Amino acid sequence: MADKALRPTSRPARVDAARLGVVALVGALLWLVPVPEGVEPRAWQLLAVFVATMVGIILRPMPMGALAFVSVSFAVLSGTLTIGEATGGFGSTVVWLVVAAFFIATAFVKTGFGTRIAYHFMRLLGKRSLGLAYGFVVTDLVLAPAIPSNTARAGGVIFPILKSLCVSLGSDAALGTQRRIAGFLTFTAYQGVVITSAMFLTAMAANPLAASLAAQQGVEISWALWAVAGFVPGVLSLLVVPALIYRLYPPEITHTPEAPALARQRLREMGPMSRDEWVLLAVFVFLLTLWILGGTLGISATATALAGVAAMLATGALAWEDILEERSGWDTFIWFAVLVMMATQLGELGLLAWFTDRVSGVLGAGHWLPSFLGLSLIYFYVHSAHVSAMYAPFLALAIAVGTPPVLAALVLAFFSNLFASMTHYGTAPAPILFGSGNVEIGDWWRLGALISVVNIVIWLGAGSLWWRLLGLW
Amino acid sequence: MADKALRPTSRPARVDAARLGVVALVGALLWLVPVPEGVEPRAWQLLAVFVATMVGIILRPMPMGALAFVSVSFAVLSGTLTIGEATGGFGSTVVWLVVAAFFIATAFVKTGFGTRIAYHFMRLLGKRSLGLAYGFVVTDLVLAPAIPSNTARAGGVIFPILKSLCVSLGSDAALGTQRRIAGFLTFTAYQGVVITSAMFLTAMAANPLAASLAAQQGVEISWALWAVAGFVPGVLSLLVVPALIYRLYPPEITHTPEAPALARQRLREMGPMSRDEWVLLAVFVFLLTLWILGGTLGISATATALAGVAAMLATGALAWEDILEERSGWDTFIWFAVLVMMATQLGELGLLAWFTDRVSGVLGAGHWLPSFLGLSLIYFYVHSAHVSAMYAPFLALAIAVGTPPVLAALVLAFFSNLFASMTHYGTAPAPILFGSGNVEIGDWWRLGALISVVNIVIWLGAGSLWWRLLGLW
């Protein structure tokens, strides 16, 4: 299960023709709608392709990457995009930040360094079950800045440890020994991943996309700005949420001396850090340093990430074969590049400007605060498909009603991650952790809904004060 | 062996530090040479990185893709290239023509359609050993337009059939039953692949690179022009070379009734064409049609290739998983994109123009014909690393001495493939076929050298007449 679920975008190997028909129909209908005045026909056609792609991402007639490939080919053959515009997306620096970071994530999993970190925190914090939960959350937090695949963090590093730990605690749904502690740990690990994904530009594949869509609207969000702005509300959420889950969904076992013992044993088995792990650690420090200072030094985050991968290849810490076999990386590369390209082209063809013009007239004057509050809550709760679909128009709206642009861009970007707390499919690691069977779906949704409110209160409440202090509004 | 050899660029999994040191030293020395007058410092630095990369491709301190990754990262960190220029190469249309065609090649192998074609020609032509050889060559010729991975043609389709045929003929080095017919068939298949690679823009990964380097110098070579210009000398070579090998390196068996029998049996086992094979056939016809007419209709070869892949994905003839697992495709993608990008940037930074200025003064006036003859022969015989290194300067030289540009671009592009006849490592399938052990190295080199002369005579002799007829000079 775990291994399969690690590639959630690739599961349906064949094509569902009926669903593909629906996707094509949606696209065709929109395509045939008379082009509104002030919109370039090419922009309208691209919108039709884009909306059909979004519908396809929801209906899943075929894997997302395959769908993206079909969409982009159609856009080119129909003359909606030139071939240069279409393939140009594969050369986007935003996309390569994500691809390079996927390769770095591979190194964390392959060298065992991610696992080692997790065992260290388990050894330090794992005497009590709440401490154990914090141990997983801290591991996730440490890995988040360099691993934009939250699937690699939750599915590749934390889940295998969680699983073997639950077995040794005598609590594992797969073994039929259902005890609440497995559910508590699994659900907390998931909520942790949701929060850490919001905290760094490089903690989630779609974050750089949000940043680049914001840049298109004149709002620059550097790696450092994102990390600083997300730090206070993020840490608060990471502190509050596990404690809240502990209270509302208590494990019957509170003392878990088995956990540090298991961690110590595994660390003994792993032996001292290997050369490859040292290289990775050095690269990790290098990445964090240059990502933090990059804005000041004028070094792009992508250049830093590529250099990190190159360093691991040159030292042999990462084998070229590992990169060629990084299927989820290649998968993300294709669909991500296509979505980034389409979202960018929609902006460049002036569709966004046209949309903003339209709605800003309709919106009342008044203070921006209530409008933005409403907008961001709508964004949070109707967030269905993908940041590539909703982020740009909502940001345009928020700026149109007078919200300070950087604040608007950041809040929407944070919310793009936090909304995932509610469902068992909200973000890629969800099906892995939910698939363990340790948490009932009713508990997942009920607690998830509550946590979504808690996160909103923390991020808009304490967050606002922090951002005010930072001078963002 | 075959399976491993299919990924020749990825064999050394770890890094040879000594060789990597040599590569770095070469780059550092060139970097530190005072920049010649009239050359932009950035251009000179890029040349140093580029030359070091070429040395690396020869010395192989690590797989080519890893090396390319390291080179491009160094170029960015050192300020030689901007990050946008560096990742931009991954969005080049030339690169995506090759990548898309790699995916199409996957479908030929996975659906078994390539194998079916080979058995059909074996059934038709295989009664005599010379006919058998022609059968392999014709199969290769049929597959060549849509399979730029000559490794997929020779290694994925032809080699497995050749191997099982040799076993049933009682001639297989691996089984210790060395008989000449295995050597004859293996060597002829190799020489066939060398020739077919020269015949189509899409028959070899590096051909689109040659075309794009030529375009940079103002010479447009469409898919159709390449195919028409290559047709007559290509077919002549394909007719003459197997007959010549038959004479100089005769198999002791001349009658091979086992072969058509085996082919018939295998075709029976395969049954009728599957739905996926029909889809592939339709896509194949679509590709050839649009590649031929693309120049007239204004549809780029890349758009056509992407549409072909999309059609196979949408019909399920190609699974997304097959694409994610196409490791040699991803491998080629990385190194090819980096080399294309660097070669293009060298041109854009004016290094080529500077070089041409320099040498055209030195070159005598006189008629262009002897100069070009000399140039092209030098290009053929000193061709060491890669088309990306030598093609552009040689083309610039040829044009500088007055050679009709299209003629020069085509001849050099053809020769970029034909030179490979001489060695057992000249092009990617060589190690696979040579690795069978069916041909002694001495025979390979001796006969290869002779065939190189025959090819040159045919392509420069009969080819010239044909190109004159076409009005290319």
Side-chain angles (χ1 to χ4, degrees), chain B residues 196-232:
Chain B
T196 57
S197 297
M199 290 178 68
F200 304 96
L201 175 64
T202 42
M204 165 70 184
N207 289 353
L209 173 57
S212 89
L213 290 172
Q216 231 186 2
Q217 299 186 35
V219 189
E220 294 293 339
I221 304 180
S222 69
W223 196 92
L225 173 61
W226 187 306
V228 170
F231 184 74
V232 167

Side-chain angles (χ1 to χ4, degrees), chain A residues 10 14-15 65-66 69 73 76 83 87 90-91 93 96 276 300 303 306 309-310 313-314 316 320-321 324-325 327 330-331, chain B residues 10 14-15 65-66 69 73 76 83 87 90-91 93 96 276 300 303 306 309-310 313-314 316 320-321 325 327 330-331:
Chain A
S10 322
R14 291 275 150 165
V15 178
F69 218 99
S73 302
V76 170
I83 184 69
T87 62
F90 296 114
T93 55
W96 280 88
D276 290 351
S300 93
L306 288 181
V309 175
L313 286 170
W320 186 240
E321 282 297 296
L324 295 183
E325 280 165 10
R327 297 144 40 107
W330 297 119
D331 194 18
Chain B
S10 323
R14 291 276 149 164
V15 178
F69 218 99
S73 301
V76 171
I83 184 69
T87 62
F90 296 114
T93 56
W96 280 88
D276 290 353
S300 93
L306 288 180
V309 175
L313 286 170
W320 187 239
E321 283 296 297
E325 281 165 9
R327 298 142 42 107
W330 296 119
D331 193 18

Side-chain angles (χ1 to χ4, degrees), chain B residues 248-426:
Chain B
L248 298 176
Y249 188 63
E252 331 76 335
I253 315 175
T254 53
H255 283 70
T256 50
E258 303 95 324
L262 178 73
R264 261 189 294 270
Q265 185 202 325
R266 290 287 157 84
L267 284 169
R268 249 196 320 275
E269 287 164 15
M270 291 182 89
M273 279 195 24
S274 69
R275 174 182 159 285
D276 290 353
E277 284 177 274
W278 282 112
V279 171
L280 178 58
L281 178 59
V283 166
F284 190 39
V285 171
F286 164 84
L287 289 174
L288 290 186
T289 311
L290 277 197
W291 278 340
I292 291 167
L293 301 178
T296 321
L297 298 175
I299 298 172
S300 93
T302 307
T304 303
L306 288 180
V309 175
M312 287 192 294
L313 286 170
T315 54
L318 188 63
W320 187 239
E321 283 296 297
D322 294 337
I323 284 186
L324 295 183
E325 281 165 9
E326 180 44 50
R327 298 142 42 107
S328 56
W330 296 119
D331 193 18
T332 304
F333 170 56
I334 297 282
W335 65 253
F336 190 56
V338 170
L339 291 185
V340 168
M341 183 274 294
M342 288 205 282
T344 309
Q345 289 294 332
L346 278 177
E348 291 198 354
L349 288 170
L351 201 72
L352 203 63
W354 171 82
F355 169 77
T356 316
D357 270 12
R358 281 287 135 129
V359 289
S360 60
V362 179
L363 293 167
H367 196 269
W368 59 268
L369 197 56
S371 309
F372 180 58
L373 209 64
L375 272 176
S376 55
L377 290 178
I378 292 170
Y379 182 74
F380 192 109
Y381 283 108
V382 304
H383 197 112
S384 57
H386 203 277
V387 64
S388 59
M390 307 296 283
Y391 185 84
F394 269 79
L395 178 58
L397 275 175
I399 295 175
V401 300
T403 317
V406 175
L407 181 73
L410 282 171
V411 168
L412 293 177
F414 295 145
F415 279 17
S416 301
N417 293 289
L418 295 173
F419 89 97
S421 69
M422 291 181 289
T423 61
H424 61 294
Y425 51 76

Side-chain angles (χ1 to χ4, degrees), chain A residues 269-291:
Chain A
E269 287 164 14
M270 291 182 88
M273 283 207 2
S274 69
R275 173 183 160 286
D276 290 351
E277 283 178 274
W278 281 112
V279 171
L280 178 58
L281 178 60
V283 166
F284 191 38
V285 171
F286 164 85
L287 288 174
L288 289 187
T289 312
L290 277 197
W291 277 339

